[in-house]
Structure formats: C-alpha cells, structure tokens
Amino acid sequence: MVNLEWYRSFIEVYRVGTVSGAAQVLHLTQPAVSQHIAALESTLGTQLFQRVPRRMLPTDAGKRLYTQTVAAIETLESIPTKSAMADAPLLIRLGTPPEFFSEYILKCLSLSDTTLFSIRFGLTQELIEQLLEKNLDCVIATQKIPKSELEYQLLVEESFWLVGPPTAIVPVSQDVLQADLTLLEQWLSQQPWIAYSEDLPIIRRFWRVVFGRRLNVNPQFAIPDLRSIRSAISLGLGYSVLPDYLCKEWIAENRLTLVLKPAKAVTNHIWLAYRKSERQSQQTAMLLNLLESASNIYS
C-alpha cells in the first residue's frame, strides 16, 4: 500500500531537484526522503528519477506520475489549512520594500473581518531568507533571487526617471535632448546628487544605460528611503533617479521637475515570491488578486 508521505516526498524532489532540498521543505531528514522515494519506486515497479551528481532528474515515468498526482496532493495539503482557519481571520504575512507598499499597495487595502495583514519591511535578500524560513507567506521582490524552493510571479515593470527640484531650470531644450545628451550630462555632473546609498546603485545603472559611461560623483546625501529622497528633491536639495510610480503624481503637481525620461527606458521588474509548496494557498491567491487590482489602478 502506498503511503501519502511517499507521494509528498516525490512531489518535492521533483520540484526542487534534490533530496536535500526536498527534505528542507518537508522538514524531514535526507534519509527519510530517500526511503520514501525508494519505497514508492519499489511499490510501483518503476524508476522515477535518474540519479546524477547533485541532481535528481525525473524519468518519463516520473514525469507522468507528477502530472497524475500533483493537483491531488496540493488539494489535500490545502484542506487542513482551510478547515483550521474556517472560523478565524486569514493572516497574510507580507515582506515588501516600504516605498512599494506605501505607494502601490496601501491604497488597495480595505478593512475586513476575514483578513489580517502583517507587513515586514526590508531589502529583498533578507526578506527572501525570511520566506524560506517560513516566517513570511510572500515577498515583494525587486530582484529575482534563484532558489529551487521558490516561484516568482511578475507583478509590474517600473521605469526610472531622472528628476530634480520644482524650481530646476534645465539648460538644454527637449529638442536637443532627443538628438544629443552630451550637454545635459555635463550639466548634471555639476549638480548635487541624492542617492539611496553611497555607491549610487540606481543612479550609476541609469547613467551607464543612458549616457554609456560611469558617473564619478559623490552624493551630497545618501538616504536609504526613496520616499525621503523624493521629498529631499522637492525641497531643492539635489537631483536623483526614481521609479515612475513614485514621481508621476509629484511631477504632475509641479512638486518635482522631470529632467529626463530616456527614450531607451531603464527598467526593473517587481516580483511576488512565494514557496512552491504554497502556490495554491489562500494567502498567495489573495495577494495576487490584490496586486492585480493595484496594477490596474496604476497602469
């Protein structure tokens, strides 16, 4: 008789590609997972994986079995969670950059008796670590960190614009900007800069893409919060590069000056990261719906 845990181990080894990785997801020992796979292969009378160095490659029989069983296993795994939470609010633990949450997500939230939110701010790397440790349900990630236990759903593509104070007078006409950026580059290199950190990560990338070279300046201010950078620019303290969702409204309200929206867009992808084992969870589904609503608002 086949044990359900054998199928769960098989599914995770198939997804992750290693016995050690599956053992971490399932909170089992490696020998236990190996025994489950061996018992399942013995019972079914077929080899499910080809063992190669550092990898478990599914055989044709393994691929067929995964297709036949994955939906049923995911459904069974979701039943205890649904029944246990039937009379209690659903808790969603989300890790996110503070700027994206306050500007993009917060406006789409509403009071509910059935849903609770626990928000944790931080950088993508540290939030992904918390996700892997199951301290978070999902993470808004500004970069795609490859982990075999995780899946990423693309949410939005942000574009970066170069902005300045509302009183800024750019000594280069828009007609000239379209043809030659040399004069603008020379002028900007003499202006005070406000950066997220001292190594100017966003600004330097923007400079390389747009002007084709490195920017050799020291920031006047290094402020690790994009909203504070936006406010500092508005107060006349310098220039910077910001994602479009943070500066569109402020430019329209003349609180910022759009210095350059490059013809060759400088972009970055924002992802929703979650554990593969939780792809069918209520938390993941609700966040995807919420973020789809936010995307429609800002598109």
Side-chain angles (χ1 to χ4, degrees):
M1 182 177 179
V2 177
N3 189 309
L4 178 62
E5 292 302 312
W6 300 353
Y7 281 122
R8 293 188 68 232
S9 293
F10 164 74
I11 293 296
E12 289 304 331
V13 172
Y14 189 100
R15 287 171 174 165
V16 177
T18 64
V19 171
S20 60
Q24 290 181 355
V25 173
L26 296 168
H27 297 288
L28 297 173
T29 64
Q30 288 184 234
V33 174
S34 295
Q35 289 172 9
H36 291 173
I37 299 302
L40 185 59
E41 289 179 326
S42 176
T43 301
L44 298 179
T46 186
Q47 184 177 357
L48 300 174
F49 293 101
Q50 179 184 357
R51 280 74 168 170
V52 299
R54 299 182 181 180
R55 196 74 182 166
M56 296 278 280
L57 298 178
T59 62
D60 290 340
K63 293 176 182 178
R64 288 194 299 270
L65 182 63
Y66 180 83
T67 301
Q68 294 168 350
T69 58
V70 62
I73 293 297
E74 288 178 346
T75 299
L76 287 171
E77 288 179 337
S78 69
I79 291 175
T81 298
K82 291 180 180 178
S83 61
M85 298 297 290
D87 298 324
L90 177 69
L91 175 62
I92 299 177
R93 303 168 301 166
L94 175 66
T96 174
E99 303 92 344
F100 190 85
F101 177 78
S102 64
E103 299 292 326
Y104 204 92
I105 301 176
L106 192 56
K107 296 176 183 178
C108 296
L109 299 180
S110 60
L111 291 175
S112 171
D113 294 332
T114 59
T115 307
L116 303 175
F117 283 89
S118 176
I119 307 301
R120 182 174 301 179
F121 295 140
L123 300 176
T124 293
Q125 180 68 53
E126 61 190 45
L127 293 176
I128 288 295
E129 291 175 1
Q130 291 297 308
L131 178 62
L132 291 170
E133 293 175 4
K134 299 190 176 182
N135 295 322
L136 294 171
D137 299 308
C138 294
V139 164
I140 304 295
T142 57
Q143 56 180 309
K144 197 174 182 181
I145 299 175
K147 296 289 183 180
S148 57
E149 304 96 319
L150 302 182
E151 285 186 355
Y152 290 85
Q153 177 73 41
L154 180 62
L155 298 176
V156 66
E157 181 180 76
E158 59 182 357
S159 295
F160 290 97
W161 298 350
L162 198 159
V163 294
T167 57
I169 300 176
V170 183
V172 185
S173 69
Q174 289 299 316
D175 292 338
V176 173
L177 284 178
Q178 297 303 318
D180 186 4
L181 295 173
T182 303
L183 292 177
L184 178 65
E185 181 188 9
Q186 293 174 351
W187 177 74
L188 286 170
S189 64
Q190 304 303 314
Q191 304 308 310
W193 284 89
I194 308 170
Y196 192 85
S197 64
E198 294 181 5
D199 59 348
L200 292 81
I202 300 174
I203 298 172
R204 288 194 190 280
R205 177 175 170 238
F206 183 92
W207 210 266
R208 285 197 303 270
V209 172
V210 175
F211 298 111
R213 69 189 78 202
R214 288 179 57 85
L215 173 65
N216 294 312
V217 300
N218 294 317
Q220 185 75 39
F221 300 95
I223 307 174
D225 182 274
L226 295 179
R227 296 163 301 174
S228 297
I229 292 176
R230 180 180 60 183
S231 296
I233 299 169
S234 183
L235 292 171
L237 297 179
Y239 293 74
S240 194
V241 173
L242 292 176
D244 50 3
Y245 72 83
L246 267 176
C247 55
K248 276 183 179 179
E249 290 186 7
W250 283 45
I251 292 171
E253 296 168 357
N254 295 318
R255 301 168 70 182
L256 295 174
T257 295
L258 177 60
V259 177
L260 180 63
K261 178 182 177 182
K264 182 180 180 180
V266 182
T267 63
N268 184 55
H269 289 149
I270 305 293
W271 309 84
L272 181 69
Y274 50 88
R275 296 182 296 277
K276 290 179 179 178
S277 58
E278 299 295 324
R279 63 159 65 95
Q280 300 295 332
S281 72
Q282 290 176 282
Q283 288 88 344
T284 301
M286 287 195 66
L287 279 172
L288 285 172
N289 289 334
L290 176 67
L291 293 166
E292 182 178 356
S293 299
S295 179
N296 292 334
I297 291 175
Y298 288 94
S299 61

